[in-house]
């Protein structure tokens, strides 16, 4: 028997919008592309709220409905890893749009200013890259074993419309090269 200690939990579920909510979110993203499309023309193949200064989209009317669903899923995530959720409050510190154009990607990073991060996929083409890839920390003990274990340092999730992923903010992640013909939209928290 093997006991798995110190593993990294990644929560996967879906938030399904109504047709009206979906329409309003996509409309927001296309307008965002119009407003900041000049950045895409300059050789950058993605635009994020960190670049444009839009870091609180969860407070906009188009996105407020997501907040209660997101908090419910965060509480589920925390309960599943043994946290007494009655002792904690969920607060959305930052939330920003991410637009990937053809050949867009996001470099490896983590979110040191938070405890829990999430990504919600608004629009994507699952067969054209743009996967989120999580990296095992280089100091993790599993990497010091003198054997090669399958998937011991990297795991990928292919984006799907309405997919929600929740993970520890300290976990390094990146977005692989997106080769779709239309934009890929997601919201990061």
């Amino acid at each position: 028997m093997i006991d798995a200690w110190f593993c990294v939990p990644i929560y996967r579920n879906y938030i399904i919008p109504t047709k009206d909510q979906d329409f309003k979110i996509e409309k927001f993203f296309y307008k965002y592309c119009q407003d900041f499309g000049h950045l895409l023309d300059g050789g950058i193949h993605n635009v994020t709220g960190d670049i444009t200064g839009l870091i609180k989209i969860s407070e906009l009317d188009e996105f407020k409905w997501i907040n209660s669903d997101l908090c419910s899923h965060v509480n589920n995530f925390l309960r599943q890893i043994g946290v007494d959720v009655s002792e904690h409050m969920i607060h959305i510190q930052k939330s920003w749009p991410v637009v990937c154009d053809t050949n867009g990607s996001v470099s490896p990073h983590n979110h040191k200013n938070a405890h829990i991060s999430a990504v919600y996929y608004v629009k994507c083409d699952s067969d054209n890259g743009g996967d989120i890839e999580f990296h095992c920390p280089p100091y993790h003990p599993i990497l010091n074993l003198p054997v090669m274990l399958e998937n011991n340092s990297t795991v990928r999730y292919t984006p799907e419309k309405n997919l929600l992923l929740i993970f520890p903010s300290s976990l390094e992640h990146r977005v692989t090269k997106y080769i779709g013909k239309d934009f890929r939209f997601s919201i990061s928290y």
Side-chain angles (χ1 to χ4, degrees), residues 19-162:
K19 287 182 181 180
D20 185 55
Q21 291 166 333
D22 193 43
F23 173 79
K24 287 178 181 177
I25 289 177
E26 282 203 27
K27 182 178 175 184
F28 168 87
F29 269 94
Y30 279 110
K31 180 165 181 350
Y32 183 74
C33 289
Q34 286 177 339
D35 293 345
F36 297 102
H38 63 281
L39 296 172
L40 295 171
D41 295 336
I44 298 174
H45 298 287
N46 67 43
V47 176
T48 70
D50 283 352
I51 294 171
T52 63
L54 187 57
I55 59 170
K56 288 284 220 174
I57 65 171
S58 60
E59 295 178 359
L60 301 176
D61 288 338
E62 297 94 324
F63 300 95
K64 284 184 179 176
W65 67 270
I66 297 175
N67 297 341
S68 62
D69 283 348
L70 176 65
C71 288
S72 175
H73 283 286
V74 168
N75 279 324
N76 286 340
F77 169 73
L78 292 172
R79 274 193 294 276
Q80 288 180 31
I81 61 172
V83 174
D84 180 355
V85 296
S86 68
E87 296 182 10
H88 302 279
M89 282 187 60
I90 305 300
H91 172 71
I92 299 174
Q93 180 180 356
K94 285 177 63 177
S95 54
W96 59 98
V98 178
V99 175
C100 280
D101 199 2
T102 303
N103 294 319
S105 63
V106 177
S107 298
H109 65 284
N110 61 17
H111 306 271
K112 294 179 182 176
N113 60 337
H115 298 290
I116 297 171
S117 291
V119 59
Y120 175 67
Y121 295 99
V122 174
K123 181 179 177 299
C124 53
D125 186 349
S126 299
D127 298 329
N128 287 313
D131 295 353
I132 188 167
E133 187 176 83
F134 295 99
H135 302 274
C136 182
Y139 50 84
H140 196 287
I142 196 77
L143 299 178
N144 292 321
L145 293 176
V147 295
M148 284 300 294
L149 300 174
E150 189 175 331
N151 293 332
N152 68 340
S153 63
T154 301
V155 65
R156 279 187 182 193
Y157 288 87
T158 298
E160 301 173 53
K161 184 173 179 61
N162 303 322

